[in-house]
Amino acid sequence: MKYKVVLAVCIVAITTAALAQIKPEDQIKFRQSGYTFMAWNMGKIKNQVVEHPETYNKEQVIAAANVIAAISSSGMGALFSPESATGKGWKETRVKPEFFQQPDEVKKHAMALNKEAKALVQVADSGDIGAIKTQFTKVFDACKGCHDNFRTKD
Amino acid sequence: MKYKVVLAVCIVAITTAALAQIKPEDQIKFRQSGYTFMAWNMGKIKNQVVEHPETYNKEQVIAAANVIAAISSSGMGALFSPESATGKGWKETRVKPEFFQQPDEVKKHAMALNKEAKALVQVADSGDIGAIKTQFTKVFDACKGCHDNFRTKD
C-alpha cells in the first residue's frame, strides 16, 4: 500500500515536472497546431478519395496519412495539463471540463484514433481508393467521437 | 515546343485549381500549424538527447522524429501560393518576398530538411543517443538554413 502511494506520488511528480516545462498557453498552441495540421491532411485525403477521385495521387495520400498517424501517436496527452483546461493558445481552447474528469474515456478515444490512423497508412499504401475511403471514414469517426464528447462547438 | 507550352499551361492550371481550394489565410494558418507542431517535437528531442539525456525515452524520440519527417514530407509547398505572400493566419506571416523569387533555392532547403528528417527517424530507431544528437543538429541546421534566408526575425 505504502509502495503504491510512493509510486503514485512519483508518477505525479514526474508528469508535473515534464509538463512544467511547457507553459499552459503553449500547450494549447501546440495542440491546436497539431489538430489544425491534421485537419489539412484529412482535407487532402477527403478531396482526393471522396470528392474528386479524378485527382487521386497515391504518394500525396500516403504522405497525408503518415502525418495523421504521426501526430496522433506523438503523445499529445502531455499537452493537456490541468492548468491548460482554460486559456488561449492561438485562440481560446475548446476543451470541455469532462476531458479532465474522464481520463479513461479520453484514452479510449485516443487509442481508437491511433489504431485507425495506422491502418489508414497501410491502406493508403495499397492504392485501393475504395478501401482508403472506407478507412478514412473510420479515422474521421474516431476524430468526431472525441470532438462530440470533449470539445465545445464553435 | 507547342507541346511544352500546353503542358506548362496545364500544370499552372492544375496547381492554381488545387491552391484555389484553400484561402490564403488558411494556407498561412496550416503552414504555421505545421511548423509550430514540428517545433514542439524538435523541442522534445532537444530536451531528451541534448539537455537532459537522463530523461531519454526511445519511443518518444522515435515518435517525435516521425512527426518531423511526416510534416516535412507533406507537400507544404502547396501552402505557399503567391496570394499568401502577405497576410495573417494565426499571426502575420513572416515569409520573405525572396521565398517566392527563388523557388530553386527554396526547393534545395526543403529537400535538405526531408533528407535529414528521414535520416533522423532511422537514427532514432538505433537508440544511440550520441548519433541522434548529431543527426538532430543536421535537422536543426536544415530548419535554420531556410529560416535565415526566407523568414523575417521575430
Side-chain angles (χ1 to χ4, degrees):
Chain A
M1 183 60 195
K2 197 179 247 182
Y3 169 76
K4 278 191 183 170
V5 171
V6 172
L7 185 67
V9 170
C10 284
I11 289 172
V12 168
I14 291 167
T15 309
T16 307
L19 289 173
Q21 295 162 0
I22 306 180
K23 287 183 290 185
E25 60 264 37
D26 288 336
Q27 290 179 41
I28 300 173
K29 195 176 277 186
F30 286 139
R31 69 198 195 207
Q32 288 173 342
S33 294
Y35 295 130
T36 302
F37 204 72
M38 276 207 271
W40 175 51
N41 286 278
M42 288 292 284
K44 284 190 285 183
I45 299 175
K46 187 181 178 195
N47 188 53
Q48 291 194 15
V49 304
V50 182
E51 293 168 351
H52 301 286
E54 73 280 7
T55 66
Y56 172 67
N57 177 306
K58 184 178 171 179
E59 295 312 316
Q60 288 180 9
V61 170
I62 291 174
N66 275 331
V67 167
I68 296 160
I71 293 180
S72 73
S73 300
S74 67
M76 288 180 76
L79 299 174
F80 288 89
S81 78
E83 296 76 20
S84 73
T86 56
K88 195 177 171 180
W90 294 119
K91 59 179 182 179
E92 287 295 324
T93 183
R94 288 190 282 162
V95 70
K96 287 185 184 174
E98 287 82 350
F99 182 95
F100 300 90
Q101 295 154 1
Q102 301 169 16
D104 290 344
E105 198 61 25
V106 169
K107 195 175 173 186
K108 220 168 66 184
H109 284 287
M111 287 176 71
L113 178 60
N114 278 355
K115 178 175 161 273
E116 302 303 351
K118 278 178 188 163
L120 183 60
V121 171
Q122 293 192 314
V123 176
D125 202 46
S126 75
D128 176 341
I129 298 192
I132 298 170
K133 194 172 162 178
T134 302
Q135 187 56 36
F136 171 77
T137 304
K138 291 185 185 174
V139 175
F140 180 84
D141 288 344
C143 295
K144 191 174 179 300
C146 199
H147 294 172
D148 287 350
N149 285 284
F150 299 113
R151 196 179 73 171
T152 57
K153 303 264 178 281
D154 253 334
Chain B
M1 182 61 193
K2 197 180 247 178
Y3 168 75
K4 279 190 185 171
V5 172
V6 171
L7 185 66
V9 170
C10 285
I11 290 172
V12 169
I14 291 167
T15 308
T16 307
L19 290 173
Q21 294 162 2
I22 306 180
K23 287 183 291 183
E25 60 264 37
D26 287 336
Q27 290 179 41
I28 299 172
K29 195 174 279 188
F30 286 138
R31 69 200 195 207
Q32 288 174 341
S33 295
Y35 294 130
T36 302
F37 204 73
M38 277 208 270
W40 176 51
N41 286 278
M42 288 291 285
K44 283 190 286 183
I45 298 175
K46 188 181 177 195
N47 188 53
Q48 292 194 12
V49 303
V50 182
E51 294 167 350
H52 302 285
E54 74 280 6
T55 66
Y56 172 66
N57 177 305
K58 185 177 172 179
E59 294 311 314
Q60 288 179 10
V61 170
I62 291 174
N66 275 331
V67 167
I68 296 160
I71 294 180
S72 74
S73 300
S74 67
M76 288 180 74
L79 298 174
F80 287 89
S81 77
E83 295 77 20
S84 73
T86 57
K88 195 177 172 180
W90 293 119
K91 59 180 182 177
E92 287 294 325
T93 183
R94 289 191 283 162
V95 70
K96 287 186 183 173
E98 287 82 352
F99 182 97
F100 300 90
Q101 294 153 2
Q102 302 169 17
D104 289 344
E105 199 60 26
V106 169
K107 196 176 172 186
K108 220 168 66 183
H109 284 287
M111 286 174 71
L113 178 60
N114 279 355
K115 177 175 161 276
E116 302 302 352
K118 278 179 187 161
L120 183 60
V121 171
Q122 292 191 316
V123 175
D125 202 45
S126 75
D128 176 342
I129 298 193
I132 297 170
K133 194 174 164 179
T134 302
Q135 187 55 36
F136 171 77
T137 305
K138 290 186 186 173
V139 174
F140 181 85
D141 288 345
C143 295
K144 191 174 180 298
C146 199
H147 294 173
D148 287 349
N149 285 283
F150 300 116
R151 194 178 73 169
T152 57
K153 304 263 177 282
D154 251 332

